[in-house]
Amino acid sequence: MMATEGTQLYGTYRCPVCGHRDAVELEADEGSRVLACSYCKTPLEVTARGPDSVRFSVQVAEEPMHG
């Protein structure tokens, strides 16, 4: 049985709309997550670049957030 290395990826992103920087955690098997910029509330899709990168790729989400 293999031990799973860190199940969470921690990194930062910069909002492409307002330029605000923030930090987020993604589940390792999640890959990407849609969240709202904590400053301008734009829905953003944040994608992990890999387990060795602490900077996430980010783009404006194509679908509005649900909930």
Side-chain angles (χ1 to χ4, degrees):
M1 200 168 147
M2 284 179 51
T4 54
E5 301 243 346
T7 56
Q8 289 197 318
L9 302 173
Y10 179 82
T12 61
Y13 67 90
R14 189 166 72 92
C15 177
V17 176
C18 71
H20 179 71
R21 288 185 185 276
D22 209 344
V24 67
E25 287 184 359
L26 294 177
E27 296 296 325
D29 57 359
E30 191 174 21
S32 69
R33 173 184 291 176
V34 175
L35 48 84
C37 172
S38 59
Y39 193 77
C40 71
K41 305 303 182 202
T42 300
L44 303 173
E45 183 177 355
V46 179
T47 306
R49 293 180 178 176
D52 298 328
S53 178
V54 295
R55 295 185 64 179
F56 292 158
S57 299
V58 63
Q59 65 183 32
V60 175
E62 294 180 13
E63 296 181 18
M65 291 187 62
H66 301 288

